[in-house]
Every structure is written in C-alpha cells, then in structure tokens.
C-alpha cells in the first residue's frame, strides 16, 4: 500500500509540474493576444481553467500511479505508461503552440493527436486498472471541449 501511495504522489507531482511549466506559455498570452481573439459564446471565463486543469492533472496522476503500482516490469504497464507520457507531452505542446506560438490551427492539429493518445492511454489503462481508466474520462471530456473551443477560435479568427 505504501508503494502505491508513493507512485501516486510521484505521478501527481509530475503531472502538476508539466501543467505548471505549460502554464508559462499560457500566461504569456492570456491577457494580451488571447484577450483580443474572437471567441464562441460558450467560451468559459479565464479563471476557470486553472482549477479545472489542476483537478485534471491530479486525476491523471492518480490514474498513472495506480497503473505504475501494478509493476513497471509488466509489458502492459510499460505500454500504458508510455502512452500516458506521450499524451502528457502533447498536452504541454498544445499550450506552447496555441498560446506560446499563437497558432490556433497548428494547435488544433496537436490537440487531435492528443485526443488519439488519450484514447490509447485509456485503452491500455483499462487493461491494467479499470479505476485508472475511469479517472482519465474527465480529462478526455475536457480535451474534447478544448478541441471544440480551439476549432471555433481558429474559425472565428
């Protein structure tokens, strides 16, 4: 049990760190470039993003920790965590492309790849740990919403 908690704490910390680092790209443009964009009527207020992403990173970390605790020596665990790592990198890449480079079209392509990687992660997490797969579902739903928002911002601008 101690081992599982340790893996969860490490995984949550990694996810929050990635989110924190991606936030630098975001913060540089939120009050300047992003504020000037035309946005759809369903665009949430800016203050909601930080708490939602924090919760999602925590859930993702718990999920990854549950999978990791099954034993990294197992090929299914390795595969699941590799997909998790790749999707986490694409998660950060989206912030860099959208906010850092201010390229909504290219960010849309990144988020499409991210969506595929999340689905593959969920598939492999489900093989290793069903609770871990279920913990990824809010993230999947939020990224679906973010993809729609990204598309509409690109379309409107």
């Amino acid at each position: 049990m101690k081992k599982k908690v340790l893996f969860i704490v490490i995984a949550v910390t990694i996810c929050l760190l990635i989110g924190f680092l991606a936030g630098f790209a975001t913060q540089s443009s939120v009050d300047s470039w992003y504020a000037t964009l035309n946005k759809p009527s369903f665009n949430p207020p800016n203050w909601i993003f930080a708490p939602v992403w924090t919760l999602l990173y925590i859930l993702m970390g718990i999920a990854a920790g549950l999978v990791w605790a099954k034993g990294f020596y197992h090929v299914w665990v390795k595969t699941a965590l590799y997909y998790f790592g790749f999707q986490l990198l694409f998660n950060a890449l989206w912030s860099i492309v959208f906010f850092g480079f201010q390229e909504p079209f290219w960010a849309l392509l990144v988020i499409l790849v991210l969506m595929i990687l999340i689905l593959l992660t969920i598939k492999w997490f489900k093989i290793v740990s069903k609770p871990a797969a279920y913990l990824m579902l809010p993230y999947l739903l939020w990224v679906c919403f973010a993809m729609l928002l990204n598309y509409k911002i690109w379309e409107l601008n």
Side-chain angles (χ1 to χ4, degrees):
M1 183 60 149
K2 284 183 183 180
K3 194 175 182 182
K4 184 187 288 189
V5 171
L6 178 63
F7 288 154
I8 289 171
V9 168
I10 292 169
V12 167
T13 302
I14 290 168
C15 289
L16 289 172
L17 182 62
I18 295 292
F20 178 75
L21 293 173
F24 282 118
T26 303
Q27 273 313 111
S28 67
S29 295
V30 167
D31 295 328
S32 56
W33 171 76
Y34 185 72
T36 66
L37 295 175
N38 296 317
K39 296 174 201 77
S41 60
F42 58 87
N43 190 74
N46 288 346
W47 64 266
I48 201 128
F49 290 97
V52 167
W53 275 112
T54 300
L55 176 63
L56 292 173
Y57 284 127
I58 290 168
L59 293 174
M60 291 163 56
I62 293 168
L66 290 173
V67 169
W68 187 12
K70 297 286 185 174
F72 194 69
Y73 57 86
H74 197 292
V75 70
W76 290 351
V77 171
K78 281 183 185 175
T79 303
L81 290 175
Y82 286 148
Y83 278 111
F84 181 83
F86 287 131
Q87 69 79 28
L88 196 57
L89 289 174
F90 270 82
N91 176 301
L93 180 62
W94 181 87
S95 294
I96 293 166
V97 173
F98 188 89
F99 289 104
F101 297 153
Q102 302 174 358
E103 292 286 350
F105 173 75
W106 295 109
L108 187 59
L109 297 180
V110 170
I111 206 168
L112 286 169
V113 173
L114 174 59
M115 183 71 63
I116 292 165
L117 290 170
I118 293 169
L119 289 168
L120 289 167
T121 300
I122 290 171
K123 172 193 168 205
W124 282 100
F125 273 23
K126 190 173 180 188
I127 292 168
V128 177
S129 166
K130 285 187 176 142
Y134 296 140
L135 285 169
M136 294 290 288
L137 292 179
Y139 174 47
L140 174 65
L141 294 173
W142 184 258
V143 171
C144 286
F145 174 71
M147 185 168 56
L148 176 61
L149 193 57
N150 185 157
Y151 171 76
K152 292 304 284 180
I153 289 172
W154 170 66
E155 182 182 56
L156 292 170
N157 292 280

